[in-house]
Amino acid sequence: MIADFGNILLFLIHGALFVALSLFVAKLIRPHRPNAEKLMTYECGEVPIGSARVQFNNRFYIIGLMFLIFEVEILLLFPWVMVFQDIGWFAFWAMFVFVFLIFIGFAYELGKGHLQWDIPRPVVPKYVEGVGVVDDYPAKEPASSEPALDEPALQTGVNR
Amino acid sequence: MATYAFVLLAVLAVASALAMVLNKNTVNSALFLVLNLMSVAGLYLLLHAQFLAIIQILVYAGAIMVLFLFVIMLLNVDEEESLFDKFRAIYLVAFLLGVVVFGQIVYSLGGVTDLLPEISADMAYVGTVEAVGEVLYTTYLMPFEMTAILLTAAVVGALMIAQYKVKTSDQEE
């Protein structure tokens, strides 16, 4: 049983060896003539601007956290599947309560609108007489036009 | 065979832990932590704790590291400062405390003669998924359901924090 994990170890060793060997062979046979253009970061043909370490939108953190919660839930489902026939309906109701409790949190998140995504407003280029084409950023709506919502997550472009 | 695997995994765990602490780049540190968690999962496997090993890889090396990387990206730490750039008194205190803890561990392990004991068939069964399931949904039903409440509380708490962040960034605009 535990020896089956030896196969995984073999796969890990082979994976590491394969990468190391192919990189080594490539180093042996490839020509080495670097120039500034070649050493530049490749970014789909564009000239790269700024640092690669940009600040992420913290909405991604919510998605990551949801992933963590539901992964733990699924991991606790695995042993449940293995012993379901032995325990029977008791196990069913135990897991029902568990999943229900987790879905309370999920429903809270869904209801509060945390999974709604801000759609960026498009920048429409506009032709102005005598000036030329300008990037016209749509003016922000005045805040007083509608009462401020209690939930900031609901103040997205989607809901406006 | 098990001894060789143990030595390999132990060396890998210690080396990756050292690399994690000494690395200047925070993202590289996080990736070395993944390697460390994986080798600790391998050590769990050697102790015939299969379910724990898989959980270690899926939850710790998977989901929790995702959150770690997100925090690094969110905080935007670009000051890559080495631990040894400048000497501080607090480093010395931390080092001495670490030496004391290490000494205690070595002292308490001094009497142990067989570090890798033979694992009997009964002990080997305890770590399997079936064995965990048999007790988790019967004997330990209450802690199991408490886990769900804990996870729900974690969701609500994290949403509260994230909501606060959204509000402040809205006001700054």
Side-chain angles (χ1 to χ4, degrees):
Chain A
M1 182 75 186
I2 203 84
D4 293 340
F5 285 94
N7 294 337
I8 299 177
L9 182 67
L10 280 182
F11 267 99
L12 283 175
I13 293 171
H14 273 105
L17 277 181
F18 190 80
V19 170
L21 200 72
S22 45
L23 281 176
F24 177 69
V25 170
K27 195 171 177 60
L28 281 186
I29 62 177
R30 74 178 169 220
H32 182 67
R33 283 188 292 274
N35 60 30
E37 200 86 337
K38 278 183 189 168
L39 292 173
M40 202 166 67
T41 308
Y42 180 69
E43 199 173 317
C44 304
E46 294 279 327
V47 178
I49 305 164
S51 166
R53 298 273 293 279
V54 292
Q55 198 162 2
F56 272 49
N57 193 334
N58 68 355
R59 281 154 187 276
F60 288 112
Y61 186 79
I62 302 287
I63 307 289
L65 193 87
M66 280 294 112
F67 166 61
L68 174 64
I69 302 287
F70 284 100
E71 185 171 33
V72 172
E73 183 198 343
I74 286 170
L75 271 174
L76 288 171
L77 278 170
F78 278 131
W80 181 69
V81 171
M82 297 301 286
V83 298
F84 185 72
Q85 281 201 317
D86 300 340
I87 304 180
W89 282 102
F90 186 76
F92 175 79
W93 289 113
M95 189 46 85
F96 186 85
V97 172
F98 181 80
V99 173
F100 178 75
L101 285 172
I102 285 195
F103 265 74
I104 291 176
F106 183 61
Y108 175 83
E109 185 193 23
L110 210 59
K112 289 276 183 181
H114 278 284
L115 291 178
Q116 295 219 352
W117 207 260
D118 262 324
I119 294 174
R121 297 173 196 183
V123 177
V124 186
K126 203 169 110 189
Y127 183 74
V128 179
E129 276 296 323
V131 183
V133 176
V134 292
D135 286 342
D136 187 38
Y137 291 88
K140 238 190 161 183
E141 289 115 303
S144 57
S145 67
E146 53 182 320
L149 296 168
D150 285 340
E151 303 300 332
L154 289 174
Q155 299 177 356
T156 60
V158 179
N159 290 314
R160 228 172 238 160
Chain B
M1 182 59 206
T3 315
Y4 291 125
F6 172 77
V7 170
L8 174 76
L9 289 167
V11 168
L12 198 63
V14 172
S16 56
L18 277 176
M20 181 197 82
V21 175
L22 299 178
N23 210 300
K24 273 186 180 181
N25 191 324
T26 37
V27 175
N28 287 0
S29 288
L31 294 179
F32 273 119
L33 183 56
V34 174
L35 189 60
N36 185 29
L37 293 172
M38 297 275 252
S39 32
V40 172
L43 292 178
Y44 289 158
L45 260 188
L46 285 182
L47 295 172
H48 289 231
Q50 305 158 24
F51 187 59
L52 196 62
I54 297 299
I55 279 194
Q56 168 89 359
I57 290 178
L58 283 182
V59 173
Y60 281 84
I64 289 184
M65 282 318 297
V66 167
L67 289 190
F68 272 27
L69 283 173
F70 266 124
V71 168
I72 291 169
M73 297 294 189
L74 279 172
L75 293 180
N76 216 1
V77 196
D78 27 73
E79 277 185 37
E80 290 175 357
E81 190 179 322
S82 171
L83 203 59
F84 304 112
D85 273 356
K86 53 176 181 270
F87 179 80
R88 292 202 196 118
I90 195 161
Y91 290 167
L92 185 68
V93 176
F95 178 74
L96 289 176
L97 283 177
V99 167
V100 168
V101 172
F102 186 71
Q104 277 178 337
I105 292 171
V106 169
Y107 179 74
S108 56
L109 285 180
V112 180
T113 47
D114 52 339
L115 282 171
L116 266 181
E118 276 300 311
I119 291 167
S120 68
D122 289 346
M123 279 164 72
Y125 178 69
V126 170
T128 57
V129 182
E130 293 94 334
V132 171
E134 270 165 22
V135 291
L136 186 61
Y137 306 109
T138 53
T139 318
Y140 299 105
L141 183 66
M142 193 63 189
F144 170 67
E145 304 290 2
M146 293 296 279
T147 313
I149 297 174
L150 189 70
L151 288 172
T152 308
V155 171
V156 175
L159 288 183
M160 286 313 214
I161 295 168
Q163 210 171 45
Y164 172 73
K165 280 278 174 63
V166 171
K167 194 179 275 178
T168 49
S169 68
D170 252 19
Q171 282 166 351
E172 276 166 15
E173 278 173 10

